[in-house]
Amino acid sequence: MQREAQSVPVRVYQSDDHIMIAVPMPGLEAADISVNISGTHVVLRGAERGVGQHERDLLLEEWRIGPYCREITLPHPVAGTLANATYGNGVLVLSMPKLKPGETPTGADFQLQPIDATRGERVGHSGKAIKPKTTAEHAKKHR
């Protein structure tokens, strides 16, 4: 039985050059999480997990292990291709560089890459200079 995606609460905050989003998505693995960024629009999805969770004789169900979906409109356009994402302790954190006036928004559509069973990331940039970087390049540097 396919269940309707549940909305999840978010925290959206900013610095001078980034917009960050933190969203709880408990019970997932990194590969279950996908992100779509387009200008000022972000869509976060988490696939349903938990084999047999619908067959249990539940007495109280206040949350499920997915599916999750949340759409957010940002107050400022961002560079989606340079977005960094991490998932750990059941929380997804997305950091996106703000665009300067006149810059063209770039979109991104990605799934997190697993680091281990309950942690994952996607690296789009590194450092204060906001230089493009891939998750593989980041992992090679930190081995």
Side-chain angles (χ1 to χ4, degrees), residues 61-124:
E61 182 185 41
E62 293 183 349
W63 67 279
R64 299 186 311 269
I65 303 172
Y68 306 115
C69 183
R70 183 63 191 259
E71 297 187 32
I72 303 154
T73 300
L74 303 174
H76 194 282
V78 296
T81 54
L82 298 176
N84 289 339
T86 58
Y87 178 73
N89 294 324
V91 178
L92 172 68
V93 177
L94 184 61
S95 176
M96 302 159 289
K98 291 180 179 178
L99 293 177
K100 293 177 177 68
E103 289 183 321
T104 304
T106 59
D109 194 6
F110 59 86
Q111 283 189 281
L112 271 63
Q113 295 182 14
I115 295 174
D116 60 47
T118 59
R119 291 186 43 227
E121 69 180 9
R122 189 267 187 172
V123 177

Side-chain angles (χ1 to χ4, degrees), residues 122-134:
R122 189 267 187 172
V123 177
H125 74 87
S126 64
K128 289 285 183 185
I130 307 182
K131 297 177 204 164
K133 192 172 201 175
T134 66

Side-chain angles (χ1 to χ4, degrees), residues 2-143:
Q2 184 69 18
R3 295 185 96 171
E4 184 177 324
Q6 57 190 315
S7 182
V8 286
V10 297
R11 295 184 73 177
V12 180
Y13 47 102
Q14 67 181 336
S15 66
D16 290 340
D17 56 354
H18 281 79
I19 293 179
M20 285 76 67
I21 299 173
V23 55
M25 292 184 161
L28 301 185
E29 292 184 9
D32 299 323
I33 299 171
S34 63
V35 177
N36 178 277
I37 303 167
S38 178
T40 60
H41 192 74
V42 176
V43 179
L44 307 170
R45 294 188 190 284
E48 184 173 35
R49 291 196 51 84
V51 176
Q53 70 173 313
H54 305 297
E55 290 85 41
R56 295 193 171 113
D57 185 16
L58 292 171
L59 300 176
L60 180 63
E61 182 185 41
E62 293 183 349
W63 67 279
R64 299 186 311 269
I65 303 172
Y68 306 115
C69 183
R70 183 63 191 259
E71 297 187 32
I72 303 154
T73 300
L74 303 174
H76 194 282
V78 296
T81 54
L82 298 176
N84 289 339
T86 58
Y87 178 73
N89 294 324
V91 178
L92 172 68
V93 177
L94 184 61
S95 176
M96 302 159 289
K98 291 180 179 178
L99 293 177
K100 293 177 177 68
E103 289 183 321
T104 304
T106 59
D109 194 6
F110 59 86
Q111 283 189 281
L112 271 63
Q113 295 182 14
I115 295 174
D116 60 47
T118 59
R119 291 186 43 227
E121 69 180 9
R122 189 267 187 172
V123 177
H125 74 87
S126 64
K128 289 285 183 185
I130 307 182
K131 297 177 204 164
K133 192 172 201 175
T134 66
T135 302
E137 291 168 336
H138 176 75
K140 191 182 291 184
K141 180 180 176 185
H142 294 284
R143 286 184 192 174

